[in-house]
Amino acid sequence: MRMEKLTWEEFEKVKAKVSAVLLPVGSVEAHGKHLPLGTDVFVPLEIAGRVEKKLKDKGIEILIAPPIWYGHSFVLNVYPGTINVRADSLRRYVRDVMSEFVEEGFKKVIILNGHGGNVYPLIEAGEEVAESYNVEIILINWWMDFRKEILEICSSQGHAGEDETSVMLAIAPELVKMEKAKGEKRSAPVRVIRRDIGLELFPDGINDNPQGATREKGEKILEVVSERIAKMLEGVL
């Protein structure tokens, strides 16, 4: 169930029944010329809904919190529409949000992350909350933690690439402009930090070839990832 749709009285009753709260975290940033700026939130929200349903079928209820839209996106900040939040600001913000859930009585908080730049700030935020309270923070990075499964479906994986494009075709095909889906895989031998490095590593805001993306591949990814997450959570909730 979605927290934002509840009244405070309903929330008070619900929180006594659910096993955990799930917090989707993403970013608003460039995803090539073919995917929407909100891709990194749309995907974890979709996965969250599927995971909730699968857990409910097993008799386990979770609460889906409103997503955190803005994330840390230094590299892609060279492109219009990317709203970059400093890593420390994101860390402190997510820490405070999770702390509030703990104060509400939740003993487990699941972070479902949709954006690579968020990983380290989220780890630090989780560590701070776990150190301050007797709670468990579960951090899931859907495209990283299930890379093996995804690459059994797609020939490649990357930012706004075949995997992400396929998933968005399954979620919201009306937002995908496949006629503009062009790109290539790029990498660097070492991490270079420079204000305009995104122009080299992510030309046009993409790092992969998305042309092999299909709605069918996206549906397979969503199903396998949500199934794996649900099974994992079933063992700890």
Side-chain angles (χ1 to χ4, degrees), residues 42-65:
F42 296 148
V43 178
L45 268 177
E46 175 69 21
I47 294 172
R50 294 180 182 226
V51 169
E52 181 201 12
K53 184 178 184 304
K54 292 178 185 297
L55 288 175
K56 193 170 185 178
D57 290 342
K58 300 285 187 178
I60 301 171
E61 292 202 44
I62 61 172
L63 179 67
I64 301 175

Short mmCIF file of all heavy atoms in Angstrom, two decimals, residues 42-65:
data_model
loop_
_atom_site.label_atom_id
_atom_site.label_comp_id
_atom_site.label_asym_id
_atom_site.label_seq_id
_atom_site.Cartn_x
_atom_site.Cartn_y
_atom_site.Cartn_z
N PHE A 42 10.72 6.09 -11.69
CA PHE A 42 9.66 5.24 -12.26
C PHE A 42 9.96 3.75 -12.08
O PHE A 42 9.07 2.96 -11.75
CB PHE A 42 9.48 5.54 -13.75
CG PHE A 42 9.00 6.93 -14.06
CD1 PHE A 42 9.39 7.57 -15.23
CD2 PHE A 42 8.15 7.60 -13.20
CE1 PHE A 42 8.95 8.85 -15.52
CE2 PHE A 42 7.70 8.88 -13.48
CZ PHE A 42 8.11 9.51 -14.65
N VAL A 43 11.22 3.37 -12.27
CA VAL A 43 11.57 1.95 -12.21
C VAL A 43 11.47 1.39 -10.80
O VAL A 43 10.79 0.38 -10.59
CB VAL A 43 12.96 1.69 -12.83
CG1 VAL A 43 13.32 0.21 -12.70
CG2 VAL A 43 12.98 2.11 -14.30
N PRO A 44 12.13 1.98 -9.79
CA PRO A 44 11.98 1.42 -8.44
C PRO A 44 10.55 1.45 -7.91
O PRO A 44 10.15 0.57 -7.15
CB PRO A 44 12.93 2.25 -7.57
CG PRO A 44 13.28 3.44 -8.37
CD PRO A 44 13.15 3.06 -9.81
N LEU A 45 9.76 2.45 -8.34
CA LEU A 45 8.36 2.47 -7.92
C LEU A 45 7.60 1.27 -8.49
O LEU A 45 6.78 0.65 -7.80
CB LEU A 45 7.69 3.77 -8.37
CG LEU A 45 7.71 4.94 -7.39
CD1 LEU A 45 7.07 6.17 -8.02
CD2 LEU A 45 6.99 4.60 -6.10
N GLU A 46 7.86 0.96 -9.75
CA GLU A 46 7.22 -0.20 -10.37
C GLU A 46 7.66 -1.49 -9.69
O GLU A 46 6.82 -2.37 -9.39
CB GLU A 46 7.56 -0.24 -11.86
CG GLU A 46 7.04 -1.47 -12.60
CD GLU A 46 5.53 -1.50 -12.74
OE1 GLU A 46 4.90 -0.42 -12.63
OE2 GLU A 46 4.97 -2.59 -12.96
N ILE A 47 8.95 -1.61 -9.46
CA ILE A 47 9.46 -2.82 -8.78
C ILE A 47 8.87 -2.93 -7.39
O ILE A 47 8.48 -4.02 -6.95
CB ILE A 47 10.99 -2.80 -8.74
CG1 ILE A 47 11.57 -2.91 -10.16
CG2 ILE A 47 11.53 -3.94 -7.87
CD1 ILE A 47 13.08 -2.70 -10.23
N ALA A 48 8.78 -1.81 -6.69
CA ALA A 48 8.22 -1.82 -5.33
C ALA A 48 6.80 -2.36 -5.32
O ALA A 48 6.43 -3.17 -4.45
CB ALA A 48 8.26 -0.41 -4.74
N GLY A 49 5.99 -1.91 -6.28
CA GLY A 49 4.61 -2.38 -6.35
C GLY A 49 4.53 -3.87 -6.60
O GLY A 49 3.68 -4.58 -6.02
N ARG A 50 5.40 -4.38 -7.45
CA ARG A 50 5.41 -5.81 -7.75
C ARG A 50 5.89 -6.63 -6.55
O ARG A 50 5.36 -7.71 -6.26
CB ARG A 50 6.29 -6.09 -8.98
CG ARG A 50 5.72 -5.50 -10.26
CD ARG A 50 6.61 -5.80 -11.45
NE ARG A 50 6.07 -5.19 -12.67
CZ ARG A 50 5.96 -5.82 -13.83
NH1 ARG A 50 6.34 -7.08 -13.95
NH2 ARG A 50 5.47 -5.19 -14.88
N VAL A 51 6.90 -6.11 -5.88
CA VAL A 51 7.40 -6.79 -4.68
C VAL A 51 6.33 -6.84 -3.60
O VAL A 51 6.12 -7.87 -2.95
CB VAL A 51 8.68 -6.09 -4.16
CG1 VAL A 51 9.06 -6.60 -2.77
CG2 VAL A 51 9.83 -6.28 -5.12
N GLU A 52 5.65 -5.72 -3.42
CA GLU A 52 4.58 -5.67 -2.41
C GLU A 52 3.53 -6.74 -2.69
O GLU A 52 3.09 -7.45 -1.77
CB GLU A 52 3.93 -4.29 -2.40
CG GLU A 52 2.83 -4.18 -1.35
CD GLU A 52 1.84 -3.05 -1.63
OE1 GLU A 52 1.87 -2.50 -2.74
OE2 GLU A 52 1.04 -2.76 -0.73
N LYS A 53 3.12 -6.87 -3.94
CA LYS A 53 2.10 -7.85 -4.30
C LYS A 53 2.59 -9.27 -4.04
O LYS A 53 1.85 -10.11 -3.49
CB LYS A 53 1.70 -7.69 -5.76
CG LYS A 53 0.57 -8.61 -6.20
CD LYS A 53 0.19 -8.39 -7.64
CE LYS A 53 -1.02 -9.24 -8.04
NZ LYS A 53 -0.81 -10.67 -7.80
N LYS A 54 3.83 -9.56 -4.42
CA LYS A 54 4.36 -10.90 -4.22
C LYS A 54 4.47 -11.24 -2.73
O LYS A 54 4.18 -12.37 -2.32
CB LYS A 54 5.74 -11.02 -4.89
CG LYS A 54 5.68 -10.96 -6.42
CD LYS A 54 7.06 -11.05 -7.04
CE LYS A 54 7.00 -10.87 -8.55
NZ LYS A 54 6.24 -11.93 -9.22
N LEU A 55 4.87 -10.27 -1.92
CA LEU A 55 4.96 -10.51 -0.49
C LEU A 55 3.58 -10.68 0.13
O LEU A 55 3.38 -11.53 1.02
CB LEU A 55 5.70 -9.35 0.20
CG LEU A 55 7.21 -9.28 -0.05
CD1 LEU A 55 7.78 -8.01 0.58
CD2 LEU A 55 7.92 -10.51 0.50
N LYS A 56 2.63 -9.89 -0.33
CA LYS A 56 1.26 -9.99 0.20
C LYS A 56 0.69 -11.37 -0.07
O LYS A 56 -0.05 -11.93 0.76
CB LYS A 56 0.38 -8.91 -0.42
CG LYS A 56 -0.96 -8.72 0.29
CD LYS A 56 -1.67 -7.48 -0.20
CE LYS A 56 -2.94 -7.23 0.62
NZ LYS A 56 -3.63 -6.00 0.18
N ASP A 57 1.02 -11.95 -1.23
CA ASP A 57 0.56 -13.30 -1.55
C ASP A 57 1.13 -14.33 -0.58
O ASP A 57 0.58 -15.42 -0.43
CB ASP A 57 0.96 -13.67 -2.98
CG ASP A 57 0.17 -12.88 -4.03
OD1 ASP A 57 -0.88 -12.32 -3.67
OD2 ASP A 57 0.63 -12.82 -5.18
N LYS A 58 2.25 -13.96 0.07
CA LYS A 58 2.89 -14.84 1.05
C LYS A 58 2.48 -14.50 2.48
O LYS A 58 3.00 -15.06 3.44
CB LYS A 58 4.41 -14.72 0.93
CG LYS A 58 4.98 -15.11 -0.42
CD LYS A 58 4.98 -16.61 -0.61
CE LYS A 58 5.71 -16.99 -1.89
NZ LYS A 58 5.76 -18.46 -2.08
N GLY A 59 1.56 -13.54 2.60
CA GLY A 59 1.09 -13.15 3.92
C GLY A 59 1.95 -12.12 4.61
O GLY A 59 1.83 -11.91 5.82
N ILE A 60 2.83 -11.45 3.85
CA ILE A 60 3.71 -10.42 4.41
C ILE A 60 3.32 -9.06 3.83
O ILE A 60 3.23 -8.91 2.62
CB ILE A 60 5.19 -10.71 4.07
CG1 ILE A 60 5.61 -12.07 4.63
CG2 ILE A 60 6.10 -9.60 4.62
CD1 ILE A 60 6.97 -12.53 4.15
N GLU A 61 3.09 -8.09 4.70
CA GLU A 61 2.70 -6.76 4.23
C GLU A 61 3.80 -5.74 4.48
O GLU A 61 4.43 -5.74 5.54
CB GLU A 61 1.40 -6.30 4.92
CG GLU A 61 0.19 -7.12 4.52
CD GLU A 61 -1.11 -6.37 4.77
OE1 GLU A 61 -1.18 -5.17 4.46
OE2 GLU A 61 -2.05 -7.00 5.29
N ILE A 62 4.04 -4.90 3.47
CA ILE A 62 4.98 -3.80 3.61
C ILE A 62 4.28 -2.51 3.22
O ILE A 62 3.26 -2.52 2.52
CB ILE A 62 6.25 -3.99 2.75
CG1 ILE A 62 5.89 -4.05 1.26
CG2 ILE A 62 7.03 -5.21 3.19
CD1 ILE A 62 7.10 -4.04 0.34
N LEU A 63 4.85 -1.40 3.67
CA LEU A 63 4.32 -0.08 3.33
C LEU A 63 5.29 0.58 2.36
O LEU A 63 6.50 0.62 2.62
CB LEU A 63 4.17 0.77 4.58
CG LEU A 63 3.64 2.20 4.39
CD1 LEU A 63 2.20 2.17 3.92
CD2 LEU A 63 3.77 2.99 5.70
N ILE A 64 4.78 1.09 1.24
CA ILE A 64 5.62 1.80 0.28
C ILE A 64 5.54 3.29 0.57
O ILE A 64 4.47 3.90 0.50
CB ILE A 64 5.18 1.52 -1.17
CG1 ILE A 64 5.27 0.02 -1.47
CG2 ILE A 64 6.06 2.31 -2.15
CD1 ILE A 64 4.75 -0.36 -2.83
N ALA A 65 6.68 3.87 0.92
CA ALA A 65 6.74 5.30 1.25
C ALA A 65 6.81 6.13 -0.03
O ALA A 65 7.20 5.62 -1.09
CB ALA A 65 7.97 5.57 2.11
#
